[in-house]
C-alpha cells in the first residue's frame, strides 16, 4: 500500500524534477486559491477531528492547535503564496571549473527527490510542507497524526485537485491515510522510493524516527537552549534578553530553557532577572549558589520560590514558564556545561567583551550561537529565508532553519569531448 | 567499551574543532614521518595478517590488497602529505548578511564532529581516513575488518604517538580493536558520541550500515554505471569511452557495467565495441536485439559468445570484465532504463547533439552525469579535490566525491546588540 505511494511519487518526481519555475508557481497559486475556495469543506472535515478530540479528552491547548477556521485557512493560503515569491532553488550553478584534460565540470543544485514528512497535530503543516516541497522540485509523502486525519485528508485532496488542474501530476503531493504505527514505520524504511525523511513534532516523534528510519533523516527541533550572562555583560540587556528568550513564546524550540550566570555578576543579574521573570510567573530551579543569592537578597520580589535543580533539570526542554539557573565560576565552565547538556540548537552569550564573545561562539557547537540577542531569532523567517520546514539540530546536510536551499541536493555535470583515463 | 572511545573522541574533538591549520598540519607531517620511520614494524604486523589470510584461504586478489611493503607505506605517507597541502576547510564564511533589525548573521563552516569510518580489508584506509578527518577538524573512530587487525592496530598506534608528539590529544584518532559484529553494530548506534558514519567497502557492508545505523550515514560506493551511445554519437569516440569505462579498472565503483545503444546506430556501434572489448576478453550479456546483431554480423571478431541478459544482469555491478548490453528505441527509453536500474553513481551519454546531451544530463538523477567522457573520472583526484574518503551515492549532504569540504557542517554566528522579538 505504502509502496504504491512510493512508486507514484517517484514517477511524479521525474517530471517535477525538471519542471520550470512558471509551472511550479502556477501549481502553488492554484493550491492557494483552492484552499480559500474550499474553506467550508475543510472546516467541516476539521470539525470531525475537533469532535473526536473532545470525545477523547484532548487538552485545550492541543484542540486550539488542531482547530481551523476561515482566518487560519487564509493564513495557510498566504503561506503558500509566500513560497511562490521565493526564488527557485533548483538548477543553480554552485560551482564550475575546468580540468587540465579539458573536462568542464559544473556542480548544479537538484531536488532531493521524494521527501517524507512525518508530523503531529497541526493540520497547517500539510500545506506548508507541500508548498515548500513542490517549489523545491521534490515530491512529498505526508504522514500526519490520526488526530487531524479528517482535516489532512481534505486538505491533501484539495491540493491534489488544484495541482492537477494546472496539468501537473497530482502525485507530487500524497498523504498516507492510514495513521497506524505500522504505516509510520513503513514510511521510515521505504528506502527504494523515499530519499529523505523530515520529522516535525515533539521529542518522542523525532527520537522514534531517528531510531527506526533507514531512510536518511533530517532531525529537527529539540531545543534545550542556554543564555549565558558573562562577567562583562550589560546586565540590563541581559535581563531583557533572558526575559524575551524565555517568555516570548515558551512552547517553541528556540525558547531558552537554561540560564548560566558568571559568579562576579551573579547577585545583581540574578535578582533583576528573577524579578523580571516573576512578571510572567516563571518557575525557577537552580543550583545551591543561585538559591543562596535569592534567599539572601532583600531586593527579590514576591513570586515563586526557587527549588533545587536536579541533574534532569539541566537536560530538560521545559517548553513552559520554567527555567533552570546555574552560577558558573568561569566562561570555561559555562561552555563545558553547554557541551554536556545542550541539544545543539541555539545558545547565547551576553557580554561586552569581543574576545569572550568570540571564544563562546567558536567553541559552542550549536546550529546558532548568539552574542547579545535573544535565541528566539533562530527561525527561517527571522533569518530572511522565507518559509522553513523546521530547524535542524543535526550536523549532516542542513543545520538551523531548513528553507528551500536546504531541500536541495546537487549533481555534477561533466562536459567532455572524448576524454578517457 | 565502545562508549569509552566515544567519550574520549568527543573530548578530543573539543580542542580539534578549534585547532589552527598550523597545528593540524604539524600533526599530519608528524604522522607521515612516523609511518615511514615505523615501516619495519608495520610490515611485521602486516605479515601476521597475511599469514592468517593464507591460513584462512584468502584469495590472491584480497591478499594483494591486504599486503603492505615499504613502497606502499611510503605511498600512505605521501597520501598524508597530500592532505597537508590541501586548504583548511574549517571556518570559511559561506554566507554573511545583515537583517533589518541590525542582527549580523554569518554562516561559517565547522567540522562535523566525530566521524565513524567502517571499512574492509585495505589497511591504507586507516591513514587516509585519519588524515582527511584530522585536517577537516573531525575526530575519527576507525573500525576496520578483522583480516587487517594487526596492520591497522600498528598503524593507528604509530599515528596516535605521532599526533601526541606535536602536543595534540591523541584521541583525535582511535581504532576499535574489537572486530566482532557487535562492535560494528555498537558503533552504528553510538548517537550520543558519533555525528556521522561513513562506510567504505562492498555493497554488503554498506547495506548493513544503512540498515542498522541510527547515526546519520553518508552512503558510498555502489556504482551500476551506464554508458548510452546515442543516435547522434561519434561511434569511434563511443568505442574508446566504453572500452575505457569498462576495462581501465573494472574493480572500482566508477567503472561502467551496462551499455545502452540507440537502434539507429546499434549495428555499427555494437560490432565495433564488441571487437574492442574482446581485446580484454570482456564477457557480454545482452537483450535479443543485441544478440541478433552480433550473431548476424560477419565483422565480429572471435571471442566470448554473448549470452542473454536476465533481469538481474541489468541491476548488477559486476566489478569484473563483464558488461550488459541493451538496444533502445529512443533516448527516452535509455533514460527510463537508467531510472530503473542505476544506483545513482555515474552515467554517460555519447552524442554530438547538444539538445540530447542536455536532456540526458538534466533528467538522469545521478551524482555525476557525463557527455562524451569516461565514467572513470568520478573521483576526488580527477575532479581536482585532492584526496577523498569515498564517493557518495546518496542525495543528503554529500554527493559524488567526498573531499574535505564535504566533511564539514556549518553554524550560524549571530551578532546583536540587545535584539529581542
Amino acid at each position: 500500500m505504502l509502496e504504491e505511494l512510493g512508486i507514484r511519487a517517484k514517477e511524479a518526481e521525474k517530471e517535477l524534477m525538471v519542471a520550470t519555475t512558471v509551472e511550479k508557481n502556477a501549481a502553488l497559486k492554484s493550491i492557494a486559491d483552492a484552499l480559500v475556495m474550499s474553506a467550508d469543506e475543510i472546516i467541516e472535515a476539521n470539525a470531525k477531528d475537533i469532535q473526536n478530540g473532545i470525545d477523547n479528552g484532548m487538552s485545550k491547548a492541543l484542540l486550539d492547535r488542531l482547530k481551523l477556521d476561515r482566518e487560519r485557512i487564509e493564513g495557510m493560503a498566504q503561506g503558500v503564496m509566500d513560497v511562490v515569491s521565493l526564488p527557485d532553488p533548483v538548477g543553480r550553478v554552485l560551482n564550475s571549473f575546468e580540468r587540465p584534460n579539458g573536462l568542464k565540470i559544473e556542480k548544479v543544485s537538484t531536488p532531493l527527490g521524494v521527501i517524507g514528512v512525518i508530523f503531529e497535530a497541526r493540520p497547517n503543516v500539510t500545506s506548508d510542507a507541500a508548498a515548500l516541497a513542490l517549489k523545491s522540485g521534490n515530491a512529498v509523502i505526508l504522514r500526519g497524526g490520526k488526530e487531524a486525519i479528517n482535516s489532512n485528508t481534505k486538505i491533501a485532496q484539495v491540493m491534489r485537485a488544484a495541482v492537477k488542474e494546472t496539468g501537473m501530476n497530482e502525485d507530487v503531493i500524497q498523504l498516507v491515510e492510514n495513521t497506524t504505527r505500522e504505516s509510520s514505520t513503513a514510511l521510515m524504511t521505504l528506502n527504494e522510493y523515499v530519499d529523505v525523511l523530515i520529522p516535525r513534532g515533539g521529542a518522542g516523534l523525532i527520537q522514534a524516527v531517528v531510531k527506526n528510519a533507514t531512510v536518511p533523516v533530517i532531525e529537527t527541533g529539540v531545543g534545550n537552549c542556554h543564555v549565558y550572562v558573562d562577567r562583562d555583560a550589560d546586565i540590563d540587556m541581559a535581563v531583557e534578553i533572558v526575559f524575551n528568550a524565555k517568555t516570548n513564546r515558551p512552547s517553541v524550540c528556540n525558547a531558552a530553557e537554561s540560564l548560566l550566570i558568571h559568579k562576579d555578576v551573579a547577585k545583581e543579574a540574578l535578582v533583576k532577572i528573577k524579578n523580571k521573570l516573576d512578571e510572567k510567573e516563571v518557575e525557577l530551579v537552580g543550583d545551591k549558589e543561585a538559591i543562596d543569592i535569592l534567599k539572601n537578597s532583600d531586593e527579590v520580589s514576591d513570586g515563586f520560590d526557587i527549588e533545587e535543580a536536579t541533574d534532569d533539570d539541566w537536560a530538560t526542554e521545559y517548553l513552559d514558564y520554567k527555567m533552570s539557573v546555574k552560577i558558573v565560576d568561569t566562561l570555561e565552565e559555562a561552555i563545558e556545561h553547554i557541551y554536556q547538556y545542550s541539544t545543539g540548537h541555539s545558545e547565547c552569550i551576553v557580554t561586552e567583551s569581543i574576545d569572550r564573545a568570540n571564544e563562546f561562539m567558536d567553541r559552542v557547537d550549536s546550529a546558532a550561537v548568539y552574542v547579545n540577542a535573544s535565541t528566539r531569532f533562530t527561525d527561517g523567517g527571522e533569518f530572511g529565508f522565507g518559509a522553513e520546514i523546521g530547524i535542524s539540530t543535526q550536523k549532516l546536510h542542513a543545520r538551523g532553519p531548513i528553507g528551500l536551499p536546504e531541500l536541495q541536493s546537487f549533481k555534477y555535470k561533466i562536459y567532455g569531448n572524448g576524454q578517457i583515463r
Side-chain angles (χ1 to χ4, degrees), chain A:
Chain A
M1 175 61 199
L2 205 64
E3 199 178 352
E4 294 260 311
L5 266 63
I7 291 169
R8 287 206 296 266
K10 272 281 172 214
E11 192 61 33
E13 175 58 14
K14 288 182 196 171
E15 288 167 39
L16 181 57
M17 184 170 70
V18 290
T20 64
T21 308
V22 170
E23 288 165 345
K24 291 186 288 189
N25 283 345
L28 290 171
K29 284 176 194 159
S30 178
I31 288 175
D33 287 347
L35 287 172
V36 176
M37 300 268 285
S38 313
D40 289 341
E41 293 171 55
I42 295 171
I43 290 168
E44 202 181 303
N46 181 250
K48 290 185 208 159
D49 290 329
I50 295 289
Q51 190 55 54
N52 290 340
I54 293 170
D55 295 348
N56 293 321
M58 188 182 269
S59 76
K60 265 204 157 145
L62 279 181
L63 282 171
D64 178 63
R65 294 177 73 177
L66 182 56
K67 189 174 173 63
L68 291 177
D69 53 22
R70 184 160 286 272
E71 195 186 341
R72 283 191 177 176
I73 292 168
E74 281 167 3
M76 286 163 62
Q78 186 54 52
V80 175
M81 288 308 292
D82 290 347
V83 174
V84 171
S85 66
L86 293 174
D88 191 331
V90 182
R92 286 182 302 142
V93 177
L94 306 171
N95 195 2
S96 122
F97 48 98
E98 188 167 340
R99 299 293 303 150
N101 60 6
L103 283 181
K104 290 187 187 64
I105 304 184
E106 267 184 7
K107 182 178 179 179
V108 181
S109 65
T110 63
L112 286 165
V114 177
I115 299 180
V117 181
I118 302 185
F119 57 103
E120 285 173 340
R122 293 215 317 245
N124 62 315
V125 174
T126 316
S127 62
D128 277 7
L132 286 165
L134 199 154
K135 181 70 178 246
S136 55
N138 297 291
V140 69
I141 298 178
L142 300 159
R143 200 279 187 193
K146 69 172 184 306
E147 305 78 11
I149 185 64
N150 293 293
S151 316
N152 291 340
T153 304
K154 175 54 73 181
I155 295 166
Q157 192 183 315
V158 167
M159 291 195 295
R160 283 167 56 85
V163 162
K164 194 177 180 185
E165 229 168 62
T166 69
M168 190 179 274
N169 186 333
E170 70 214 84
D171 290 332
V172 296
I173 300 171
Q174 293 183 96
L175 179 81
V176 181
E177 295 189 13
N178 174 344
T179 58
T180 59
R181 181 179 291 266
E182 287 67 34
S183 81
S184 179
T185 309
L187 184 57
M188 295 181 207
T189 53
L190 206 62
N191 294 53
E192 200 176 341
Y193 305 107
V194 181
D195 294 287
V196 179
L197 211 59
I198 303 178
R200 279 193 60 164
L205 169 70
I206 290 161
Q207 280 316 304
V209 173
V210 168
K211 202 160 178 178
N212 296 313
T214 50
V215 173
V217 173
I218 303 183
E219 198 176 334
T220 65
V222 179
N224 184 22
C225 305
H226 295 77
V227 178
Y228 165 58
V229 180
D230 185 41
R231 186 186 71 189
D232 298 334
D234 174 331
I235 303 296
D236 293 331
M237 185 194 286
V239 172
E240 293 303 319
I241 287 174
V242 173
F243 181 72
N244 181 265
K246 179 68 262 181
T247 70
N248 175 252
R249 202 171 161 203
S251 65
V252 293
C253 60
N254 58 19
E257 305 291 356
S258 200
L259 171 64
L260 307 174
I261 309 182
H262 192 282
K263 67 173 170 22
D264 291 0
V265 295
K267 204 175 158 193
E268 182 191 354
L270 181 54
V271 171
K272 284 187 172 172
I273 289 169
K274 157 80 172 150
N275 289 349
K276 183 76 181 171
L277 290 175
D278 272 346
E279 291 177 17
K280 295 273 186 183
E281 301 187 350
V282 175
E283 184 186 344
L284 290 182
V285 295
D287 64 355
K288 288 219 172 67
E289 290 76 3
I291 293 171
D292 277 353
I293 288 170
L294 292 178
K295 297 252 148 134
N296 296 322
S297 167
D298 46 17
E299 291 163 36
V300 177
S301 62
D302 288 343
F304 287 110
D305 261 1
I306 181 169
E307 300 285 331
E308 188 161 347
T310 64
D311 202 56
D312 271 355
D313 278 306
W314 307 121
T316 299
E317 186 192 25
Y318 299 116
L319 297 172
D320 205 343
Y321 291 92
K322 186 170 180 183
M323 191 169 213
S324 60
V325 192
K326 186 182 171 68
I327 311 301
V328 296
D329 288 350
T330 56
L331 170 58
E332 183 68 30
E333 191 186 339
I335 293 173
E336 281 291 336
H337 181 90
I338 292 171
Y339 276 137
Q340 194 170 352
Y341 295 105
S342 165
T343 54
H345 192 297
S346 301
E347 332 291 341
C348 166
I349 180 172
V350 184
T351 187
E352 298 297 303
S353 159
I354 290 176
D355 283 352
R356 293 168 75 87
N358 285 337
E359 182 165 1
F360 183 89
M361 294 175 96
D362 286 342
R363 292 182 54 200
V364 169
D365 191 20
S366 295
V369 282
Y370 292 83
V371 52
N372 297 337
S374 170
T375 54
R376 287 276 294 122
F377 289 104
T378 307
D379 172 271
E382 293 295 328
F383 273 26
F385 296 173
E388 59 159 55
I389 205 163
I391 306 285
S392 164
T393 53
Q394 75 179 28
K395 292 197 253 182
L396 204 69
H397 186 77
R399 204 176 191 197
I402 308 166
L404 291 178
E406 286 73 29
L407 295 178
Q408 297 289 291
S409 179
F410 57 82
K411 67 164 91 163
Y412 292 98
K413 294 183 176 181
I414 303 108
Y415 300 86
N417 48 18
Q419 282 83 350
I420 57 172
R421 278 180 80 175

